[in-house]
Amino acid sequence: MIRALFSAKTLLVAALLLAALILAPQVLPRFYIYLMALVFVTGLLATSLNMVLGFGGMYQFHHAVFYGFGAYALTLLLTKAGMPPVFAYLLAPCCSAALGLLLGLITVRLTKLYFGMLQISLGSLVWALAYRWYSFTGGDDGIHGIPLPDVVYSSTGAYYFSLAVCSVSLLVMYLIVNSPFGRIFQGIRDNPERCRAVGVDVHRHQLAGQAIAAFFAGVAGTLFVTVEGSVFPELMFWTLSLELIIMCLLGGWFVFLGPMLGAAIIVVLRTFVGIYTEYWTLVLGVVLMLLIFFLPEGVLGFALRKAGPAQADPAKE
Amino acid sequence: MDFASNITAAALFQQVLVGLSRTTILFIVSSGLSLVLGVLRIPNVAHGSLYMIGAFLTYTIAAAVGPGAFGFWIALVLAPLGVALLSFAAERGLFCHLYEREHLMLLLFTFSMTLVFNDLVKLIWGSDYRSFTAPGFLQGSFDVFGLPFPRYNLFLLLIGPLVAFGLWFLTNRTKIGKIARAAAVDREMVGAVGINVSWIFAATFVIGCYLAGLGGALVAPTQNITQGMDHTIIIEAFLIVIIGGLGNIWGALLGALIFGLTDSLGILIWPQFAIVFPYVAVVIVLLFRPKGLLKSTW
């Protein structure tokens, strides 16, 4: 599987894509650069969700809480603690991972819907605390004008930074999904009883999965701060989590890059629908209904099935 | 922050009463959620939206009929029925074609209903908040140990047991209730003896949504009716059915009691972060009973 990733064809496509993305700021207007950076951030977030949702089979209903937590952690480390940016950027995702562990300790004892509903509820508590703790988190206003390091202050700088971090994170996540740990994780998704029978500690693996996914969600959170320069409690509101699940579904959640595509479609759609109407959620709701009825395997999943099993993504097996 | 500085016996008693009336609303809403969870096995995310629609409908109907007690009673009867009708249309029109799909798809479908309903509410009622008052004889308050207790809350305290009895009667004494309970345990078997499971699902779904609407109608005079009131209630209802045991109506009652009381007593202890207390209670319950206090129907 790993070899498939580094085959000449894949490498060529990846190199061309990367070259195009690196050159993009030279030709595209500033707004599109911002939009693409937002796509990277959201795509990374959706991919990290899909690690536990699609590949782990866990009903991760409140993933956004780790995203928002990472964003808040970075902001508070920069503003309140006055930490050097390098350390703050490294520490913030670890804070998310710690939250993932903490919530995971309570939630992984439950399965499926119990797990998901409890996660929504506990995550909402974190949201409510950020929403009300005015003196620390800025309450429902959030925190604006965050002092970012000069390198990423311009929109081009933020773009390159998020492109680099997003690419590295995707690569690492791909390697994790295809590592022995990732295989066990998928085994747990398909048959937890059998995994337990052959001696796999299901809870411990799920807990580790929670921490890893939360870590990358935290990375996405730090990128959001970089691109947007502000944080607000909506980042960890539960409807965002369900929107992320829609992105995974839209792109196709048994394909590694599916959520990335889904995130790109949703972010772009939201931006352009938002120009014409304020009823974006109505549009999103209808899109979701159509998706559930007519395209349950997602855009990329559908495309790969049409292309035939020979070209299916290796991660799909 | 005046931490736990204003606790007196009278205040404690008053908060218990307030908590109990809050419990009524929570119980009505979460029992509907639990009913749908038990039989259809779907956490209906749209439940909160239906609660909100119930509240807005109550406002509109009461305003249309005119001021006074009559408008209030008409609204209290009609608004939940309107919500039930809406859910019936959604269920028969769209939802019932998806029962063969996996759970996550069904859950996401209820989420898409939430998205559509919320924007419809915004379209119809706008983004402003609404408020209306209960009829005269339910307004005002009376004294409990020298502290005021709203009359409307007493009304809620009377409604709660009534709804609980109604639900008990429905699930234990009527044929449809018995079939629904059987379908919750083994839907294939129920289908095999010649009962149309799809219609049982529809009936359960509509009754569950009716309860959401009823909760919204009852809560309408006590608070501002706004966009966003759906989010709070759905999270609370989720927690309540989790600690009660998924699909168990009596569990919902127990969960609502725990939630309502910890919430209202928490306000007395630490006003700014009162929201923390119910969650702590939930975590404690789940540490000892991960599957909820009462037996889940699953």
Side-chain angles (χ1 to χ4, degrees):
Chain A
M1 299 310 134
I2 310 291
R3 226 173 294 141
L5 175 69
F6 294 110
S7 73
K9 203 169 135 195
T10 332
L11 270 183
L12 187 70
V13 172
L16 282 177
L17 190 65
L18 209 58
L21 288 175
I22 288 173
L23 286 177
Q26 313 301 328
V27 285
L28 286 175
R30 196 159 158 255
F31 173 71
Y32 287 95
I33 296 307
Y34 162 77
L35 194 62
M36 281 167 79
L38 214 55
V39 167
F40 298 150
V41 175
T42 319
L44 174 59
L45 178 61
T47 311
S48 72
L49 164 66
N50 200 43
M51 274 180 79
V52 276
L53 182 77
F55 292 102
M58 301 178 82
Y59 281 16
Q60 184 91 348
F61 288 168
H62 206 340
H63 196 59
V65 70
F66 307 119
Y67 172 61
F69 198 75
Y72 267 106
L74 175 68
T75 309
L76 294 173
L77 286 173
L78 284 175
T79 55
K80 302 259 169 180
M83 202 177 253
V86 181
F87 294 119
Y89 269 97
L90 291 174
L91 197 57
C94 299
C95 294
S96 282
L99 182 73
L101 268 181
L102 183 70
L103 293 191
L105 279 174
I106 305 169
T107 50
V108 294
R109 290 148 41 93
L110 310 181
T111 50
K112 295 280 167 186
L113 281 181
Y114 265 110
F115 171 88
M117 290 167 70
L118 187 62
Q119 195 182 42
I120 286 194
S121 310
L122 292 178
S124 298
L125 175 63
V126 179
W127 168 79
L129 290 178
Y131 193 81
R132 299 198 178 186
W133 201 346
Y134 273 92
S135 55
F136 192 55
T137 60
D140 56 353
D141 298 330
I143 301 171
H144 302 273
I146 298 160
L148 292 168
D150 294 336
V151 195
V152 295
Y153 193 74
S154 69
S155 61
T156 325
Y159 172 85
Y160 281 124
F161 183 70
S162 44
L163 175 62
V165 174
C166 179
S167 318
V168 172
S169 301
L170 283 180
L171 191 64
V172 173
M173 278 194 276
Y174 187 84
L175 293 177
I176 291 176
V177 165
N178 288 292
S179 69
F181 171 80
R183 292 288 170 217
I184 294 174
F185 214 50
Q186 287 163 60
I188 293 172
R189 171 192 72 196
D190 295 334
N191 198 333
E193 283 79 20
R194 194 171 288 177
C195 283
R196 203 169 285 128
V198 297
V200 171
D201 189 335
V202 170
H203 282 175
R204 188 171 299 169
H205 277 83
Q206 290 185 326
L207 200 56
Q210 285 290 310
I212 294 170
F215 178 85
F216 285 107
V219 172
T222 62
L223 289 186
F224 180 84
V225 175
T226 312
V227 173
E228 204 78 33
S230 54
V231 286
F232 30 85
E234 280 76 33
L235 287 183
M236 39 174 134
F237 200 51
W238 65 289
T239 48
L240 176 61
S241 294
L242 290 175
E243 257 179 62
L244 291 174
I245 299 181
I246 299 177
M247 292 172 193
C248 294
L249 176 70
L250 177 61
W253 49 32
F254 294 122
V255 191
F256 183 75
L257 284 178
M260 194 78 201
L261 181 69
I265 296 174
I266 296 277
V267 169
V268 171
L269 201 64
R270 183 197 345 237
T271 308
F272 289 104
V273 168
I275 295 172
Y276 298 107
T277 168
E278 59 174 312
Y279 298 107
W280 152 247
T281 56
L282 186 68
V283 176
L284 183 65
V286 173
V287 167
L288 177 58
M289 282 185 184
L290 292 174
L291 202 61
I292 291 170
F293 270 99
F294 301 112
L295 204 65
E297 63 218 304
V299 175
L300 208 54
F302 179 77
L304 286 176
R305 192 167 57 85
K306 284 285 164 197
Q311 289 172 21
D313 190 286
K316 199 182 174 184
E317 289 163 24
Chain B
M1 195 169 304
D2 45 349
F3 191 87
S5 61
N6 47 356
I7 302 177
T8 61
L12 211 60
F13 188 71
Q14 185 203 24
Q15 280 307 108
V16 168
L17 281 184
V18 170
L20 283 177
S21 42
R22 179 81 190 134
T23 299
T24 302
I25 302 286
L26 290 174
F27 166 66
I28 290 172
V29 175
S30 52
S31 63
L33 186 69
S34 198
L35 200 66
V36 176
L37 251 172
V39 178
L40 278 75
R41 316 225 157 167
I42 303 151
N44 181 9
V45 180
H47 210 69
S49 307
L50 293 166
Y51 164 87
M52 178 169 67
I53 291 173
F56 272 108
L57 271 181
T58 309
Y59 164 81
T60 303
I61 294 172
V65 174
F70 185 64
F72 173 75
W73 293 117
I74 290 282
L76 206 55
V77 172
L78 286 186
L81 285 178
V83 171
L85 200 67
L86 179 67
S87 66
F88 180 74
E91 201 274 346
R92 280 294 106 179
L94 297 166
F95 200 36
C96 70
H97 304 294
L98 295 170
Y99 286 145
E100 301 302 313
R101 300 285 189 81
E102 54 187 304
H103 274 119
L104 207 50
M105 291 292 178
L106 295 174
L107 177 116
L108 282 176
F109 187 81
T110 64
F111 179 54
S112 72
M113 293 202 312
T114 312
L115 295 171
V116 171
F117 285 160
N118 283 6
D119 259 5
L120 285 182
V121 167
K122 203 157 65 167
L123 265 171
I124 296 171
W125 283 283
S127 319
D128 302 334
Y129 71 84
R130 305 293 163 91
S131 62
F132 86 108
T133 46
F137 71 100
L138 288 175
Q139 282 176 19
S141 54
F142 55 92
D143 279 1
V144 178
F145 295 127
L147 287 168
F149 183 69
R151 278 184 200 193
Y152 191 80
N153 285 24
L154 188 72
F155 169 66
L156 289 180
L157 287 180
L158 297 176
I159 292 276
L162 220 61
V163 173
F165 175 77
L167 270 176
W168 170 82
F169 190 82
L170 187 75
T171 49
N172 288 288
R173 286 288 179 271
T174 63
K175 193 176 173 196
I176 185 166
K178 287 177 182 171
I179 295 173
R181 272 163 59 219
V185 178
D186 191 341
R187 67 174 75 166
E188 278 84 14
M189 198 60 214
V190 171
V193 296
I195 291 165
N196 190 337
V197 180
S198 178
W199 276 97
I200 292 297
F201 279 12
T204 314
F205 188 76
V206 169
I207 292 169
C209 295
Y210 171 85
L211 287 168
L214 183 63
L218 284 171
V219 89
T222 66
Q223 66 176 67
N224 288 333
I225 306 164
T226 59
Q227 299 270 328
M229 66 189 279
D230 55 328
H231 295 310
T232 348
I233 195 81
I234 189 70
I235 298 294
E236 289 172 349
F238 269 13
L239 277 172
I240 288 167
V241 299
I242 291 170
I243 52 177
L246 296 193
N248 190 319
I249 291 169
W250 307 117
L253 180 58
L254 206 56
L257 263 175
I258 294 174
F259 205 97
L261 288 179
T262 46
D263 193 38
S264 66
L265 293 178
I267 289 172
L268 215 53
I269 298 170
W270 196 9
Q272 194 189 1
F273 292 108
I275 191 170
V276 174
F277 291 94
Y279 285 90
V280 173
V282 168
V283 171
I284 291 172
V285 166
L286 288 175
L287 285 181
F288 293 103
R289 297 201 50 115
K291 290 265 165 182
L293 289 166
L294 299 185
K295 193 175 168 298
S296 158
T297 51
W298 298 21

